Amino acid sequence: MSEIPKEEYIKTCTAACAGCSSSLCLRYVLKAAGPDTVLVIPACCTSVIQGVYPNTSFNVPVYNIAFAAAAACASGMSKAFRSAGKKTNVIAYAGDGGTVDIGIQALSGAFERGTDFLYICYDNEAYGNTGMQRSGATPLGALTTTTPGGKGEFKKDLDRIVAAHNPPYMATACSSYPLDLYKKVKKALSIEGPKFIHILAPCPPGWRYESDRTIEMGKLAVKTGSWVLWEREYGKLTVSGPSKAAMKNPLPLEEYLKGQGRFKKATPEIIAKLQQALNKNLERIRKEEEGIC
Amino acid sequence: MLIISTGNKAVAAAVKQAHPSVVAAYPITPQTEIIEQIANYVANKEIETEYIPVESEHSAMAACIGASVTGVRTFTATSSHGLLYMHEMLHWAAGARLPIVMANVNRALGPGWNTWAEHTDAFSQRDTGWLQVFVGTVQEAYDATLMAFRIAEDERVLLPVMVNLDGFSLSHIMQSLDTVELGDFIPPMKLPHAIDVNNPMGYGPMTGPADYFTFRWDIERSMRDARDVIRETEEEFARRFGRKYGPTEDYLCEDADVVVVSMGTLGKEAEVAVDILRKEGIKAGSMRLRWFRPFPDLDLKGKEVVVIDRDYSFGFGGVVAASIRAKTGVECYNVIAGLGGQEVTYDDIAGFVRDRKIGEEMWFGVSE
């Protein structure tokens, strides 16, 4: 971890929940990006993490914009900075709701236009900011306040949607593997054009686990193969270190699910479906890495 | 230089001279010609502007907001459903105090689909914090667009400005256009709160009731100051380029017994109607309302007033008539006419005046 700068970009005044993994992600994202950076955020937990006016917990400029508009706003900002000869990093930092649901049109437009920016989706698999309602990223069987019996549909496959836009760089990450995240942000920002990083960000109140288990929860997601760390540069996929080992010999899925209150109503049938989808995903990633698909 | 131009091309010509750094836009009838023309300017390298072909009007305004907050000049154009689709972002633009200029080609709203002129689209944006000006000729479309940048970017205003022109009856008609040598009429844009990575701030974060209240008042204070800025800008425009504008365009109002109040292209029809009525011995005048926000002070005391509304607020009445009643205390004859491009001639308008029933409302062309 010695290569990670000591400089902090999230200071005091943050209004984040205890055990918030998204704050942790943002801490490393900003360390990688450095001070010549502007964050564009839609309605999401980050608008809470930043604190209440007149305070701000960040020491980079943060531009708050309407829920559906982060990628479009960042698009205009990036064009304006570049036309003025400025290299300033423009990072749209949005939750899963603002990405897979209401914001997906703007995301798609910005990627299609080749916008020079980094879009990061930190994914806590629900509308966390407003108290855990279902999003398109909520997994099958998970309890939310709007799926009190457990969600009946699978998580939307955001990565394949973004991949269809052929960005020069895209990657997955997890708050429990900060060095991996740090390196991916660094690499993304060294490349011109639209970049995408999808971070799994466990959420103690939303996923219903004790706040001191956030790191453990992310590690279990990776070790069971529920969340796979990889990066795709110019179309070439490489599985990242922590997931290489996990993919060879994944822990049983139940290890990940059992500690989360949100899966307490998941039946054996639901768990079997989740396991089946997980296996299929791992197989697809293996084949893609080997260049078979 | 004197040329022949459509209303749309006149707007584009003004935008070219104002030279925004970023134009983000989505095409919609009857606005399309404006952004096609700007796209051509960019493609032919006649202007150094970043043209962002966005995927929706919501994104058009979001991209203008993102660009504007870096401190550069921005422009977009839309119409009707496009304007309504970006409605949310109009609040964000005004709330962030960004001097974005937008042309709105006034068009009716579906259903049924109708691409012709009506003012309901713009009036739906009444409370967003945007300044709104309505123009009546191709020349005015050009002049008002130039002045819009200057007014929006004045540090006493720093609010976005919408230039409204009637769909087809102005956007697509050809009239003579006298373009100007702009000189330093529009100074370089200076945004005091432009994003600065060396002075990081949170823009638009969560704000409690007391601070939020202050921000709203700041917008209203600037709206009030905008009246002075508009007047000064229009006076300077007249000094430099010889064409005079004001909050209203008045025609034979001073000695008039009855005044027709209208907006947009119907104002020119009303002037011809006034000439006809004067020959009949009716002392009529025409007052074309140019600025809708900030709403001007109107002197209508002692006059009979006929208000033509090319809009309607369902369950209530015409928006312009309601505004005039509320602001002046003067009663009027409210004619609802021209909706969805309905043809309204000077003869029709003369008829409204002859048959006026002060205190009543009449829907032109609707049989009971």
Side-chain angles (χ1 to χ4, degrees):
Chain A
M1 301 284 269
S2 59
E3 66 184 271
I4 297 180
K6 291 202 163 38
E7 181 68 32
E8 295 292 348
Y9 297 90
I10 304 181
K11 302 282 191 175
T12 54
C13 306
T14 177
C17 305
C20 173
S21 72
S22 172
S23 306
L24 197 60
C25 297
L26 195 52
R27 181 171 175 230
Y28 289 98
V29 166
L30 292 175
K31 279 172 179 279
D36 192 10
T37 298
V38 179
L39 283 181
V40 177
I41 59 166
C44 62
C45 290
T46 311
S47 58
V48 175
I49 295 168
Q50 84 179 122
V52 179
Y53 177 87
N55 298 314
T56 173
S57 61
F58 303 144
N59 59 356
V60 297
V62 184
Y63 202 77
N64 292 259
I65 198 71
F67 208 0
C73 179
S75 203
M77 200 177 277
S78 168
K79 276 282 185 198
F81 278 137
R82 299 301 175 263
S83 72
K86 290 180 183 167
K87 289 188 174 358
T88 304
N89 299 313
V90 177
I91 302 180
Y93 192 77
D96 47 292
T99 303
V100 307
D101 293 339
I102 198 168
I104 198 159
Q105 172 181 275
L107 170 77
S108 176
F111 275 72
E112 183 265 335
R113 289 189 301 272
T115 305
D116 185 22
F117 79 141
L118 168 60
Y119 191 107
I120 296 178
C121 172
Y122 65 98
D123 186 352
N124 59 17
E125 304 191 318
Y127 296 110
N129 182 22
T130 47
M132 281 341 221
Q133 295 80 30
R134 166 206 198 277
S135 86
T138 301
L140 177 74
L143 301 176
T144 68
T145 56
T146 51
T147 54
K151 190 187 176 196
E153 303 82 24
F154 282 102
K155 183 182 175 90
K156 192 189 279 191
D157 194 340
L158 173 65
D159 297 326
R160 287 212 285 168
I161 295 170
V162 174
H165 295 75
N166 293 314
Y169 183 84
M170 64 182 290
T172 57
C174 174
S175 53
S176 303
Y177 299 87
L179 187 59
D180 179 71
L181 169 62
Y182 174 84
K183 284 179 176 169
K184 283 170 174 170
V185 174
K186 273 269 181 207
K187 189 184 281 183
L189 291 173
S190 73
I191 296 169
E192 201 179 310
K195 288 84 62 176
F196 178 79
I197 298 178
H198 189 183
I199 312 177
L200 183 73
C203 167
W207 293 15
R208 305 181 194 184
Y209 64 81
E210 302 77 13
S211 55
D212 60 351
R213 294 181 59 224
T214 276
I215 302 300
E216 180 193 343
M217 205 51 71
K219 290 207 165 175
L220 282 170
V222 169
K223 286 179 177 170
T224 55
S226 287
W227 190 257
V228 185
L229 304 174
W230 49 259
E231 58 186 342
R232 192 184 280 123
E233 288 175 82
Y234 302 101
K236 174 80 180 78
L237 183 134
T238 313
V239 173
S240 311
S243 278
K244 274 204 166 84
M247 282 177 74
K248 275 182 197 145
N249 192 15
L251 290 179
L253 177 61
E254 285 84 347
E255 292 290 309
Y256 174 51
L257 304 183
K258 72 181 180 193
Q260 301 177 45
R262 64 174 176 158
F263 287 111
K264 71 178 178 196
K265 287 189 187 170
T267 59
E269 290 75 31
I270 293 281
I271 293 170
K273 278 187 184 175
L274 286 169
Q275 183 70 61
Q276 204 177 9
L278 186 160
N279 294 344
K280 204 171 156 187
N281 188 44
L282 291 181
E283 187 55 26
R284 192 165 56 220
I285 289 169
R286 269 190 206 104
K287 281 185 175 168
E288 189 181 336
E289 193 179 29
E290 288 166 19
I292 295 170
C293 65
Chain B
M1 188 173 64
L2 202 61
I3 56 169
I4 300 291
S5 173
T6 63
N8 277 345
K9 284 191 171 163
V11 169
V15 171
K16 180 184 173 187
Q17 286 181 273
H19 204 155
S21 297
V22 173
V23 172
Y26 190 84
I28 179 170
T29 303
Q31 156 264 35
T32 321
E33 193 182 28
I34 298 176
I35 62 156
E36 285 172 344
Q37 186 71 0
I38 293 171
N40 271 313
Y41 291 146
V42 173
N44 298 335
K45 300 196 181 340
E46 291 176 62
I47 41 173
E48 281 180 33
T49 294
E50 293 287 349
Y51 180 85
I52 310 179
V54 282
E55 75 290 347
S56 77
E57 286 90 352
H58 195 276
S59 287
M61 188 49 62
C64 283
I65 289 169
S68 183
V69 76
T70 72
V72 304
R73 184 168 296 151
T74 57
F75 174 83
T76 188
T78 190
S79 174
S80 182
H81 291 273
L83 181 66
L84 266 62
Y85 194 31
M86 63 168 72
H87 168 74
E88 180 190 26
M89 303 315 299
L90 262 59
H91 281 279
W92 282 82
R97 309 305 305 265
L98 298 174
I100 297 163
V101 172
M102 169 163 65
N104 177 46
V105 184
N106 299 111
R107 174 190 142 181
L109 296 155
W113 285 119
N114 176 297
T115 59
W116 292 276
E118 193 180 311
H119 295 157
T120 307
D121 58 353
F123 291 171
S124 300
Q125 312 307 315
R126 190 187 60 186
D127 306 327
T128 54
W130 280 62
L131 279 69
Q132 287 197 29
V133 62
F134 285 73
V135 304
T137 63
V138 167
Q139 184 68 59
E140 194 186 350
Y142 170 83
D143 294 345
T145 304
L146 288 178
M147 284 188 272
F149 285 102
R150 164 96 177 237
I151 293 163
E153 293 170 14
D154 190 290
E155 63 176 16
R156 291 166 288 173
V157 180
L158 292 176
L159 285 170
V161 177
M162 188 189 303
V163 179
N164 290 282
L165 57 154
D166 285 343
F168 293 109
S169 62
L170 186 53
S171 65
H172 283 66
I173 60 151
M174 306 277 270
Q175 290 176 351
S176 62
L177 170 66
D178 189 9
T179 59
V180 302
E181 291 292 330
L182 197 57
D184 61 354
F185 180 70
I186 306 175
M189 179 171 149
K190 279 188 207 146
L191 189 71
H193 56 290
I195 280 184
D196 179 2
V197 292
N198 297 311
N199 179 26
M201 294 189 292
Y203 293 78
M206 282 215 306
T207 308
D211 290 318
Y212 183 86
F213 209 91
T214 308
F215 289 147
R216 298 300 102 172
W217 165 241
D218 277 347
I219 293 175
E220 172 54 19
R221 190 164 48 195
S222 297
M223 267 286 176
R224 293 180 189 188
D225 291 346
R227 292 162 193 265
D228 293 335
V229 176
I230 290 166
R231 193 187 61 247
E232 290 165 22
T233 305
E234 288 173 346
E235 282 171 2
E236 190 182 330
F237 193 88
R239 271 199 307 279
R240 287 195 186 212
F241 310 120
R243 289 188 289 274
K244 282 185 186 168
Y245 295 99
T248 59
E249 187 179 63
D250 299 345
Y251 182 68
L252 304 181
C253 282
E254 253 177 42
D255 68 333
D257 297 326
V258 53
V259 172
V260 180
V261 179
S262 63
M263 296 180 82
T265 50
L266 288 181
K268 289 292 160 192
E269 297 292 322
E271 289 181 11
V272 182
V274 163
D275 290 339
I276 293 169
L277 292 163
R278 289 257 170 183
K279 280 180 192 157
E280 296 171 10
I282 299 171
K283 280 167 81 175
S286 163
M287 180 181 280
R288 180 169 64 87
L289 203 54
R290 292 187 68 246
W291 286 93
F292 178 65
R293 287 293 180 273
F295 199 81
D297 296 321
L298 305 177
D299 183 14
L300 290 165
K301 287 234 161 45
K303 314 277 188 199
E304 288 190 82
V305 180
V306 175
V307 178
I308 305 174
D309 262 294
R310 192 166 216 166
D311 63 84
Y312 200 73
S313 177
F314 298 109
F316 189 77
V319 172
V320 181
S323 306
I324 287 172
R325 283 192 205 104
K327 278 285 183 186
T328 67
V330 173
E331 193 41 275
C332 60
Y333 178 48
N334 191 190
V335 180
I336 312 302
L339 303 187
Q342 181 198 38
E343 186 165 292
V344 184
T345 67
Y346 49 78
D347 278 332
D348 298 325
I349 295 172
F352 302 156
V353 175
R354 287 187 206 106
D355 303 338
R356 65 190 179 277
K357 296 182 185 69
I358 302 297
E360 292 191 12
E361 176 184 295
M362 189 270 283
W363 283 63
F364 176 55
V366 176
S367 51
E368 292 297 330

